[in-house]
Amino acid sequence: QVQLVESGGGLVQAGGSLRLSCAASKSILTLSAMGWYRQAPGKQRELVATITRSGSPGYVDSVKGRFTISRDNAENTVYLQMNSLKPEDTAVYYCTWGPGLYWGQGTQVTVSS
């Protein structure tokens, strides 16, 4: 069993930045792809960013150029750097390993206009 714990969410104004962290309880970061999803109230959970076993990132079109997914294997932590935040980025952000086999509890990101 793997535990994933997200942190770093908060309230920011449009144009601001946040860095989300996802800490894993075991050294599993390179054993599978990892990713970040988000879910806004009343909407389906959507994929935001992924990182492959080899470290290659991928992004949904709406965040390309603004978000960066990365990882620190030594710290068993995946990050999502979010810049130029927009109100439509407001959601609960979830870290996943598998993807989808393990999930974190989520961290709230709220962007005000």
Side-chain angles (χ1 to χ4, degrees), residues 78-100:
V78 174
Y79 301 97
L80 185 67
Q81 178 67 47
M82 305 185 295
N83 299 325
S84 302
L85 283 162
K86 304 175 181 180
E88 50 263 46
D89 295 319
T90 295
V92 177
Y93 283 71
Y94 298 90
C95 173
T96 184
W97 182 92

PDB file of all heavy atoms in Angstrom, residues 78-100:
ATOM      1  N   VAL A  78       6.568  14.430  -5.944  1.00  0.00           N
ATOM      2  CA  VAL A  78       6.226  14.991  -7.242  1.00  0.00           C
ATOM      3  C   VAL A  78       5.666  16.386  -7.016  1.00  0.00           C
ATOM      4  O   VAL A  78       4.933  16.624  -6.047  1.00  0.00           O
ATOM      5  CB  VAL A  78       5.212  14.106  -7.979  1.00  0.00           C
ATOM      6  CG1 VAL A  78       4.751  14.766  -9.268  1.00  0.00           C
ATOM      7  CG2 VAL A  78       5.823  12.752  -8.281  1.00  0.00           C
ATOM      8  N   TYR A  79       5.998  17.298  -7.907  1.00  0.00           N
ATOM      9  CA  TYR A  79       5.574  18.682  -7.778  1.00  0.00           C
ATOM     10  C   TYR A  79       4.753  19.107  -8.977  1.00  0.00           C
ATOM     11  O   TYR A  79       4.889  18.580 -10.075  1.00  0.00           O
ATOM     12  CB  TYR A  79       6.782  19.613  -7.659  1.00  0.00           C
ATOM     13  CG  TYR A  79       7.682  19.309  -6.496  1.00  0.00           C
ATOM     14  CD1 TYR A  79       8.833  18.546  -6.665  1.00  0.00           C
ATOM     15  CD2 TYR A  79       7.387  19.786  -5.226  1.00  0.00           C
ATOM     16  CE1 TYR A  79       9.665  18.269  -5.594  1.00  0.00           C
ATOM     17  CE2 TYR A  79       8.211  19.512  -4.153  1.00  0.00           C
ATOM     18  CZ  TYR A  79       9.350  18.756  -4.337  1.00  0.00           C
ATOM     19  OH  TYR A  79      10.174  18.482  -3.277  1.00  0.00           O
ATOM     20  N   LEU A  80       3.906  20.084  -8.751  1.00  0.00           N
ATOM     21  CA  LEU A  80       3.221  20.769  -9.831  1.00  0.00           C
ATOM     22  C   LEU A  80       3.369  22.260  -9.590  1.00  0.00           C
ATOM     23  O   LEU A  80       2.729  22.816  -8.694  1.00  0.00           O
ATOM     24  CB  LEU A  80       1.742  20.388  -9.905  1.00  0.00           C
ATOM     25  CG  LEU A  80       0.979  20.980 -11.090  1.00  0.00           C
ATOM     26  CD1 LEU A  80       1.485  20.378 -12.404  1.00  0.00           C
ATOM     27  CD2 LEU A  80      -0.523  20.749 -10.952  1.00  0.00           C
ATOM     28  N   GLN A  81       4.241  22.885 -10.360  1.00  0.00           N
ATOM     29  CA  GLN A  81       4.421  24.326 -10.293  1.00  0.00           C
ATOM     30  C   GLN A  81       3.373  24.971 -11.173  1.00  0.00           C
ATOM     31  O   GLN A  81       3.301  24.690 -12.371  1.00  0.00           O
ATOM     32  CB  GLN A  81       5.825  24.720 -10.762  1.00  0.00           C
ATOM     33  CG  GLN A  81       6.081  26.217 -10.773  1.00  0.00           C
ATOM     34  CD  GLN A  81       6.101  26.810  -9.388  1.00  0.00           C
ATOM     35  OE1 GLN A  81       6.735  26.269  -8.494  1.00  0.00           O
ATOM     36  NE2 GLN A  81       5.390  27.919  -9.207  1.00  0.00           N
ATOM     37  N   MET A  82       2.573  25.839 -10.602  1.00  0.00           N
ATOM     38  CA  MET A  82       1.477  26.473 -11.308  1.00  0.00           C
ATOM     39  C   MET A  82       1.714  27.979 -11.332  1.00  0.00           C
ATOM     40  O   MET A  82       1.708  28.628 -10.287  1.00  0.00           O
ATOM     41  CB  MET A  82       0.138  26.155 -10.647  1.00  0.00           C
ATOM     42  CG  MET A  82      -0.129  24.659 -10.501  1.00  0.00           C
ATOM     43  SD  MET A  82      -1.781  24.304  -9.855  1.00  0.00           S
ATOM     44  CE  MET A  82      -1.635  25.027  -8.214  1.00  0.00           C
ATOM     45  N   ASN A  83       1.920  28.511 -12.512  1.00  0.00           N
ATOM     46  CA  ASN A  83       2.131  29.937 -12.706  1.00  0.00           C
ATOM     47  C   ASN A  83       0.999  30.526 -13.520  1.00  0.00           C
ATOM     48  O   ASN A  83       0.248  29.818 -14.183  1.00  0.00           O
ATOM     49  CB  ASN A  83       3.461  30.187 -13.417  1.00  0.00           C
ATOM     50  CG  ASN A  83       4.656  29.690 -12.650  1.00  0.00           C
ATOM     51  OD1 ASN A  83       4.687  29.730 -11.425  1.00  0.00           O
ATOM     52  ND2 ASN A  83       5.674  29.224 -13.371  1.00  0.00           N
ATOM     53  N   SER A  84       0.899  31.844 -13.478  1.00  0.00           N
ATOM     54  CA  SER A  84      -0.135  32.559 -14.238  1.00  0.00           C
ATOM     55  C   SER A  84      -1.505  31.942 -14.019  1.00  0.00           C
ATOM     56  O   SER A  84      -2.253  31.673 -14.963  1.00  0.00           O
ATOM     57  CB  SER A  84       0.222  32.572 -15.728  1.00  0.00           C
ATOM     58  OG  SER A  84       1.475  33.180 -15.946  1.00  0.00           O
ATOM     59  N   LEU A  85      -1.839  31.724 -12.775  1.00  0.00           N
ATOM     60  CA  LEU A  85      -3.085  31.044 -12.447  1.00  0.00           C
ATOM     61  C   LEU A  85      -4.301  31.858 -12.869  1.00  0.00           C
ATOM     62  O   LEU A  85      -4.302  33.085 -12.806  1.00  0.00           O
ATOM     63  CB  LEU A  85      -3.137  30.748 -10.955  1.00  0.00           C
ATOM     64  CG  LEU A  85      -2.281  29.560 -10.520  1.00  0.00           C
ATOM     65  CD1 LEU A  85      -2.040  29.594  -9.020  1.00  0.00           C
ATOM     66  CD2 LEU A  85      -2.947  28.247 -10.930  1.00  0.00           C
ATOM     67  N   LYS A  86      -5.314  31.134 -13.296  1.00  0.00           N
ATOM     68  CA  LYS A  86      -6.572  31.714 -13.743  1.00  0.00           C
ATOM     69  C   LYS A  86      -7.706  31.220 -12.861  1.00  0.00           C
ATOM     70  O   LYS A  86      -7.610  30.151 -12.268  1.00  0.00           O
ATOM     71  CB  LYS A  86      -6.856  31.318 -15.197  1.00  0.00           C
ATOM     72  CG  LYS A  86      -5.760  31.671 -16.183  1.00  0.00           C
ATOM     73  CD  LYS A  86      -6.079  31.121 -17.563  1.00  0.00           C
ATOM     74  CE  LYS A  86      -4.989  31.452 -18.554  1.00  0.00           C
ATOM     75  NZ  LYS A  86      -5.293  30.916 -19.904  1.00  0.00           N
ATOM     76  N   PRO A  87      -8.800  31.977 -12.770  1.00  0.00           N
ATOM     77  CA  PRO A  87      -9.935  31.504 -11.965  1.00  0.00           C
ATOM     78  C   PRO A  87     -10.417  30.116 -12.375  1.00  0.00           C
ATOM     79  O   PRO A  87     -10.859  29.349 -11.509  1.00  0.00           O
ATOM     80  CB  PRO A  87     -11.006  32.570 -12.221  1.00  0.00           C
ATOM     81  CG  PRO A  87     -10.222  33.814 -12.476  1.00  0.00           C
ATOM     82  CD  PRO A  87      -9.017  33.353 -13.256  1.00  0.00           C
ATOM     83  N   GLU A  88     -10.330  29.783 -13.643  1.00  0.00           N
ATOM     84  CA  GLU A  88     -10.769  28.474 -14.095  1.00  0.00           C
ATOM     85  C   GLU A  88      -9.861  27.339 -13.644  1.00  0.00           C
ATOM     86  O   GLU A  88     -10.185  26.165 -13.845  1.00  0.00           O
ATOM     87  CB  GLU A  88     -10.927  28.438 -15.624  1.00  0.00           C
ATOM     88  CG  GLU A  88      -9.727  28.972 -16.373  1.00  0.00           C
ATOM     89  CD  GLU A  88      -9.893  30.425 -16.790  1.00  0.00           C
ATOM     90  OE1 GLU A  88     -10.327  31.241 -15.956  1.00  0.00           O
ATOM     91  OE2 GLU A  88      -9.587  30.734 -17.964  1.00  0.00           O
ATOM     92  N   ASP A  89      -8.725  27.661 -13.035  1.00  0.00           N
ATOM     93  CA  ASP A  89      -7.873  26.645 -12.436  1.00  0.00           C
ATOM     94  C   ASP A  89      -8.359  26.221 -11.059  1.00  0.00           C
ATOM     95  O   ASP A  89      -7.809  25.276 -10.478  1.00  0.00           O
ATOM     96  CB  ASP A  89      -6.429  27.146 -12.317  1.00  0.00           C
ATOM     97  CG  ASP A  89      -5.780  27.401 -13.667  1.00  0.00           C
ATOM     98  OD1 ASP A  89      -5.984  26.590 -14.592  1.00  0.00           O
ATOM     99  OD2 ASP A  89      -5.060  28.417 -13.790  1.00  0.00           O
ATOM    100  N   THR A  90      -9.346  26.912 -10.528  1.00  0.00           N
ATOM    101  CA  THR A  90      -9.869  26.591  -9.211  1.00  0.00           C
ATOM    102  C   THR A  90     -10.426  25.169  -9.185  1.00  0.00           C
ATOM    103  O   THR A  90     -11.289  24.817  -9.986  1.00  0.00           O
ATOM    104  CB  THR A  90     -10.961  27.588  -8.805  1.00  0.00           C
ATOM    105  OG1 THR A  90     -10.386  28.889  -8.676  1.00  0.00           O
ATOM    106  CG2 THR A  90     -11.598  27.190  -7.483  1.00  0.00           C
ATOM    107  N   ALA A  91      -9.927  24.364  -8.261  1.00  0.00           N
ATOM    108  CA  ALA A  91     -10.329  22.962  -8.163  1.00  0.00           C
ATOM    109  C   ALA A  91      -9.596  22.326  -6.998  1.00  0.00           C
ATOM    110  O   ALA A  91      -8.678  22.912  -6.430  1.00  0.00           O
ATOM    111  CB  ALA A  91      -9.996  22.209  -9.458  1.00  0.00           C
ATOM    112  N   VAL A  92     -10.013  21.119  -6.675  1.00  0.00           N
ATOM    113  CA  VAL A  92      -9.224  20.269  -5.799  1.00  0.00           C
ATOM    114  C   VAL A  92      -8.256  19.494  -6.687  1.00  0.00           C
ATOM    115  O   VAL A  92      -8.671  18.866  -7.664  1.00  0.00           O
ATOM    116  CB  VAL A  92     -10.096  19.301  -4.980  1.00  0.00           C
ATOM    117  CG1 VAL A  92      -9.223  18.386  -4.133  1.00  0.00           C
ATOM    118  CG2 VAL A  92     -11.057  20.082  -4.098  1.00  0.00           C
ATOM    119  N   TYR A  93      -6.991  19.549  -6.349  1.00  0.00           N
ATOM    120  CA  TYR A  93      -5.962  18.889  -7.130  1.00  0.00           C
ATOM    121  C   TYR A  93      -5.529  17.604  -6.446  1.00  0.00           C
ATOM    122  O   TYR A  93      -5.253  17.587  -5.245  1.00  0.00           O
ATOM    123  CB  TYR A  93      -4.760  19.820  -7.324  1.00  0.00           C
ATOM    124  CG  TYR A  93      -5.008  20.886  -8.363  1.00  0.00           C
ATOM    125  CD1 TYR A  93      -5.886  21.934  -8.108  1.00  0.00           C
ATOM    126  CD2 TYR A  93      -4.385  20.829  -9.605  1.00  0.00           C
ATOM    127  CE1 TYR A  93      -6.140  22.898  -9.066  1.00  0.00           C
ATOM    128  CE2 TYR A  93      -4.630  21.797 -10.567  1.00  0.00           C
ATOM    129  CZ  TYR A  93      -5.507  22.830 -10.292  1.00  0.00           C
ATOM    130  OH  TYR A  93      -5.754  23.790 -11.245  1.00  0.00           O
ATOM    131  N   TYR A  94      -5.467  16.529  -7.236  1.00  0.00           N
ATOM    132  CA  TYR A  94      -5.146  15.206  -6.726  1.00  0.00           C
ATOM    133  C   TYR A  94      -3.904  14.659  -7.401  1.00  0.00           C
ATOM    134  O   TYR A  94      -3.771  14.729  -8.622  1.00  0.00           O
ATOM    135  CB  TYR A  94      -6.289  14.221  -6.986  1.00  0.00           C
ATOM    136  CG  TYR A  94      -7.585  14.570  -6.308  1.00  0.00           C
ATOM    137  CD1 TYR A  94      -8.535  15.363  -6.939  1.00  0.00           C
ATOM    138  CD2 TYR A  94      -7.865  14.091  -5.031  1.00  0.00           C
ATOM    139  CE1 TYR A  94      -9.728  15.677  -6.319  1.00  0.00           C
ATOM    140  CE2 TYR A  94      -9.060  14.395  -4.405  1.00  0.00           C
ATOM    141  CZ  TYR A  94      -9.987  15.187  -5.055  1.00  0.00           C
ATOM    142  OH  TYR A  94     -11.172  15.480  -4.438  1.00  0.00           O
ATOM    143  N   CYS A  95      -3.039  14.086  -6.615  1.00  0.00           N
ATOM    144  CA  CYS A  95      -1.877  13.375  -7.105  1.00  0.00           C
ATOM    145  C   CYS A  95      -2.235  11.905  -7.281  1.00  0.00           C
ATOM    146  O   CYS A  95      -2.988  11.347  -6.481  1.00  0.00           O
ATOM    147  CB  CYS A  95      -0.725  13.536  -6.112  1.00  0.00           C
ATOM    148  SG  CYS A  95       0.752  12.572  -6.455  1.00  0.00           S
ATOM    149  N   THR A  96      -1.699  11.265  -8.321  1.00  0.00           N
ATOM    150  CA  THR A  96      -1.978   9.858  -8.547  1.00  0.00           C
ATOM    151  C   THR A  96      -0.730   9.118  -9.012  1.00  0.00           C
ATOM    152  O   THR A  96       0.138   9.690  -9.671  1.00  0.00           O
ATOM    153  CB  THR A  96      -3.107   9.673  -9.577  1.00  0.00           C
ATOM    154  OG1 THR A  96      -3.430   8.276  -9.702  1.00  0.00           O
ATOM    155  CG2 THR A  96      -2.699  10.204 -10.949  1.00  0.00           C
ATOM    156  N   TRP A  97      -0.644   7.878  -8.630  1.00  0.00           N
ATOM    157  CA  TRP A  97       0.383   6.958  -9.101  1.00  0.00           C
ATOM    158  C   TRP A  97      -0.321   5.818  -9.807  1.00  0.00           C
ATOM    159  O   TRP A  97      -1.314   5.273  -9.323  1.00  0.00           O
ATOM    160  CB  TRP A  97       1.202   6.431  -7.924  1.00  0.00           C
ATOM    161  CG  TRP A  97       2.333   5.506  -8.313  1.00  0.00           C
ATOM    162  CD1 TRP A  97       3.624   5.854  -8.569  1.00  0.00           C
ATOM    163  CD2 TRP A  97       2.278   4.080  -8.482  1.00  0.00           C
ATOM    164  NE1 TRP A  97       4.377   4.737  -8.885  1.00  0.00           N
ATOM    165  CE2 TRP A  97       3.571   3.635  -8.838  1.00  0.00           C
ATOM    166  CE3 TRP A  97       1.258   3.140  -8.364  1.00  0.00           C
ATOM    167  CZ2 TRP A  97       3.876   2.291  -9.077  1.00  0.00           C
ATOM    168  CZ3 TRP A  97       1.560   1.795  -8.608  1.00  0.00           C
ATOM    169  CH2 TRP A  97       2.855   1.395  -8.955  1.00  0.00           C
ATOM    170  N   GLY A  98       0.212   5.447 -10.937  1.00  0.00           N
ATOM    171  CA  GLY A  98      -0.377   4.325 -11.664  1.00  0.00           C
ATOM    172  C   GLY A  98      -0.467   4.577 -13.164  1.00  0.00           C
ATOM    173  O   GLY A  98       0.132   3.807 -13.936  1.00  0.00           O
ATOM    174  N   PRO A  99      -1.202   5.599 -13.586  1.00  0.00           N
ATOM    175  CA  PRO A  99      -2.067   6.504 -12.849  1.00  0.00           C
ATOM    176  C   PRO A  99      -3.377   5.831 -12.445  1.00  0.00           C
ATOM    177  O   PRO A  99      -3.878   4.953 -13.143  1.00  0.00           O
ATOM    178  CB  PRO A  99      -2.331   7.650 -13.836  1.00  0.00           C
ATOM    179  CG  PRO A  99      -1.252   7.528 -14.875  1.00  0.00           C
ATOM    180  CD  PRO A  99      -0.986   6.057 -14.972  1.00  0.00           C
ATOM    181  N   GLY A 100      -3.909   6.254 -11.314  1.00  0.00           N
ATOM    182  CA  GLY A 100      -5.210   5.795 -10.875  1.00  0.00           C
ATOM    183  C   GLY A 100      -5.179   4.648  -9.892  1.00  0.00           C
ATOM    184  O   GLY A 100      -6.209   4.333  -9.299  1.00  0.00           O
TER     185      GLY A 100
END
